[in-house]
């Protein structure tokens, strides 16, 4: 925060000029970056980490807030906005949420129902994680109705509560989902059009795992640029890439098919890949199988053709079953002879590869995208047991 305050003007100007983002300074301990994105690209909300172990895990490996929790989260925010107190016990907050739900003709909330209480605890924990609520006293998640433990008290951090909505006025007036996240208004001029296009392309470089040039084979995915963006890319590719590198400090990997900014660690990403999670290990080891199937008898090269042939899902299922059998000693919970287990884990692994722009999955057909080939030689590292006789 000290660095953000010190470089506030430069950061605000750079975010606005390069990305069309708005940096708002709240106080000495809080800043909010108002980003612009399509709702289709919005991430689901992950549950706040409950332990030090969960804090060390990537955010995409945490469980997600379910629909019930999201509903309670919205009701909780509505209550916090209107309450006059700056501190609330959890039991009183729960009672006010219950009244709010009744006024909105929502199903009655039963706090003796364990899943409902857990959902409220997750909603409150999510707000605590953002600093909207601060745990003051008592045992977190405890209400006055609990037989043991002191009831939890929370402070309401008024300065941060309104920041949950990037634009409250637009949100209140929106009648359709696509109006909830509005693009910044650019002048209806050629310069305004070019600025909007530049913002969108640099955002994609910074936010997306990989950006592909427009596919000439008619097999576009969400990672491909549009025809208008492709034209701009051809003219000003180096300028876009320099802007992305300057904003992130990451290494640029540019090829004929597109560009990726490569993070050697886990910085700048909520989808780190690969990691030591079992499902991501399976996804990694699937890539050589998929690349080999896509290339067929073609010689190995540094990148896959943009219009590489589609692969039937059965190829991925067979490869996953072999890998699960080969590494069953490490993936004990997965049964390679159980078709349901194989299908479930293969679907999860392909979903991860699709999320990071390495494959495109459509029904039972899989298309391997060019960036996948950087992992085409991935192998399993099996730890070897070494014994020092002298130490023994």
């Amino acid at each position: 925060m000290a660095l953000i305050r010190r470089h506030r003007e430069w950061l605000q100007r750079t975010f606005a000029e390069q990305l069309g983002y708005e940096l708002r300074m709240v106080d000495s301990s809080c800043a909010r970056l108002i980003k612009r994105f399509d709702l289709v690209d919005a991430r689901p909300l992950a549950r706040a980490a409950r332990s030090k172990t969960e804090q060390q895990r990537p955010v995409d490996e945490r469980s997600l807030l379910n629909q019930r929790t999201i509903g309670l989260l919205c009701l909780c925010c509505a209550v916090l906005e209107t309450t006059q107190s700056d501190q609330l016990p959890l039991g009183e907050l729960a009672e006010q949420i219950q009244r709010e739900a009744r006024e909105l003709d929502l199903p009655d909330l039963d706090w003796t129902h364990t899943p409902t209480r857990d959902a409220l605890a997750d909603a409150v924990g999510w707000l605590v994680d953002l600093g909207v609520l601060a745990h003051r006293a008592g045992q977190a998640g405890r209400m006055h109705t609990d037989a043991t433990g002191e009831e939890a008290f929370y402070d309401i951090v008024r300065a941060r509560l309104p920041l949950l909505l990037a634009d409250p006025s637009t949100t209140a007036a929106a009648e359709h989902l696509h109006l909830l996240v509005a693009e910044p208004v650019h002048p209806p001029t050629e310069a305004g059009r070019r600025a909007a296009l530049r913002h969108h392309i640099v955002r994609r470089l910074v936010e997306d795992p990989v950006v592909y040039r427009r596919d000439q084979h008619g097999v576009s995915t969400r990672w491909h640029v549009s025809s208008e963006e492709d034209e701009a890319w051809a003219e000003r590719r180096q300028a876009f890439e320099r802007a992305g590198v300057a904003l992130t400090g990451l290494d640029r990997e540019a090829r004929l098919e597109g560009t990726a900014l490569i993070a050697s660690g886990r910085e700048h990403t909520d989808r780190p890949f690969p990691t030591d999670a079992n499902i991501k290990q399976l996804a990694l080891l699937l890539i050589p199988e998929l690349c080999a199937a896509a290339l067929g008898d073609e010689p190995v090269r540094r990148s896959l053709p943009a219009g590489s042939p589609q692969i039937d899902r059965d190829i991925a299922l067979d490869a996953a079953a072999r890998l699960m059998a080969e590494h069953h000693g490490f993936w004990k919970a997965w049964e390679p002879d159980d078709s349901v287990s194989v299908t479930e884990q293969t679907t999860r692994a392909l979903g991860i590869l699709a999320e990071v722009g390495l494959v495109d999955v459509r029904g039972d057909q899989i298309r391997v995208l060019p960036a996948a080939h950087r992992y085409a030689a991935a192998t399993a590292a099996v730890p070897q047991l070494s014994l020092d006789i002298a130490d023994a």
Side-chain angles (χ1 to χ4, degrees):
M1 283 303 303
L3 287 172
I4 293 174
R5 293 197 305 272
R6 185 182 308 164
H7 301 287
R8 169 180 178 173
E9 292 184 0
W10 183 89
L11 286 169
Q12 288 177 324
R13 183 174 64 254
T14 302
F15 279 126
E17 291 176 355
Q18 298 294 345
L19 299 168
Y21 291 169
E22 179 186 355
L23 178 64
R24 295 182 187 174
M25 301 299 295
V26 181
D27 54 36
S28 61
S29 64
C30 180
R32 170 75 151 92
L33 184 63
I34 307 297
K35 299 165 67 173
R36 307 288 177 173
F37 56 90
D38 295 327
L39 281 178
V40 68
D41 296 324
R43 301 293 198 200
L45 299 181
R47 193 181 68 185
R50 293 181 174 178
S51 64
K52 290 183 178 180
T53 301
E54 286 188 341
Q55 290 175 356
Q56 295 171 353
R57 294 172 58 190
V59 66
D60 65 319
E61 294 176 20
R62 298 182 196 166
S63 58
L64 302 177
L65 299 186
N66 57 30
Q67 186 174 8
R68 178 184 312 192
T69 304
I70 295 292
L72 286 174
L73 177 60
C74 294
L75 289 171
C76 186
C77 291
V79 167
L80 296 176
E81 280 282 4
T82 56
T83 187
Q84 300 299 312
S85 176
D86 288 331
Q87 187 182 85
L88 281 176
L90 184 57
E92 183 178 338
L93 177 61
E95 290 173 1
Q96 292 191 38
I97 289 174
Q98 195 172 44
R99 288 197 295 269
E100 184 79 14
R102 288 169 180 166
E103 291 179 7
L104 295 172
D105 294 327
L106 297 175
D108 194 31
L109 298 171
D110 181 6
W111 300 123
T112 64
H113 189 223
T114 300
T116 305
R117 290 164 64 92
D118 289 344
L120 178 61
D122 283 339
V124 170
W126 192 83
L127 292 173
V128 169
D129 199 44
L130 285 186
V132 173
L133 291 176
H135 183 217
R136 169 62 62 181
Q139 187 173 351
R142 291 288 186 184
M143 295 186 192
H144 59 78
T145 55
D146 293 329
T148 60
E150 296 183 4
E151 182 174 19
F153 277 74
Y154 295 92
D155 291 334
I156 304 171
V157 184
R158 295 289 179 188
R160 298 190 182 190
L161 180 58
L163 293 178
L164 292 176
L165 298 179
D167 188 343
S169 299
T170 299
T171 304
E175 296 180 356
H176 303 285
L177 284 176
H178 70 274
L179 298 176
L180 285 176
V181 182
E183 286 291 316
V185 178
H186 292 87
T189 62
E190 179 60 21
R193 185 192 69 82
R194 291 173 68 86
L197 191 61
R198 182 181 71 253
H199 286 163
H200 194 251
I201 292 176
V202 178
R203 273 184 229 151
R204 295 194 61 178
L205 278 171
V206 172
E207 301 287 351
D208 291 351
V210 64
V211 181
Y212 295 117
R213 293 286 308 277
R214 185 164 178 249
D215 186 28
Q216 302 301 317
H217 297 77
V219 192
S220 295
T221 71
R222 60 172 294 196
W223 308 115
H224 284 98
V225 297
S226 66
S227 57
E228 185 180 19
E229 291 170 336
D230 189 65
E231 184 178 343
W233 190 285
E235 294 177 1
R236 293 175 285 163
R237 175 174 182 168
Q238 290 188 350
F240 295 143
E241 292 174 346
R242 282 198 300 270
V245 170
L247 283 164
T248 63
L250 298 178
D251 294 328
R252 174 182 66 101
E253 185 172 299
R255 303 196 180 182
L256 178 64
E257 303 92 351
T259 301
L261 300 180
I262 306 300
S264 57
R266 290 184 175 183
E267 68 274 22
H268 302 306
T269 181
D270 60 351
R271 291 293 187 272
F273 178 84
T275 71
D276 57 2
N278 288 348
I279 191 61
K280 289 184 179 178
Q281 290 293 305
L282 174 60
L284 177 66
L285 294 177
L286 272 178
I287 296 177
E289 304 279 350
L290 300 178
C291 288
L295 287 171
D297 296 329
E298 294 186 36
V300 175
R301 47 184 158 181
R302 289 294 296 168
S303 58
L304 289 169
S308 58
Q310 291 183 333
I311 303 170
D312 193 86
R313 182 182 286 265
D314 287 343
I315 293 177
L317 291 171
D318 291 342
R322 291 197 306 274
L323 290 168
M324 289 167 64
E326 182 180 350
H327 303 286
H328 188 59
F330 297 96
W331 302 335
K332 296 186 186 331
W334 299 345
E335 293 298 333
D337 296 328
D338 182 355
S339 61
V340 174
S341 177
V342 171
T343 300
E344 178 183 354
Q345 304 311 327
T346 304
T347 301
R348 291 177 62 202
L350 290 174
I352 290 170
L353 295 179
E355 283 185 342
V356 295
L358 302 183
V359 302
D360 179 41
V361 182
R362 303 188 184 188
D364 289 332
Q365 298 298 311
I366 305 165
R367 190 177 298 276
V368 181
L369 300 179
H373 205 66
R374 74 190 321 271
Y375 300 102
T379 57
V382 180
Q384 300 294 323
L385 177 63
S386 62
L387 183 64
D388 190 318
I389 301 300
D391 290 342

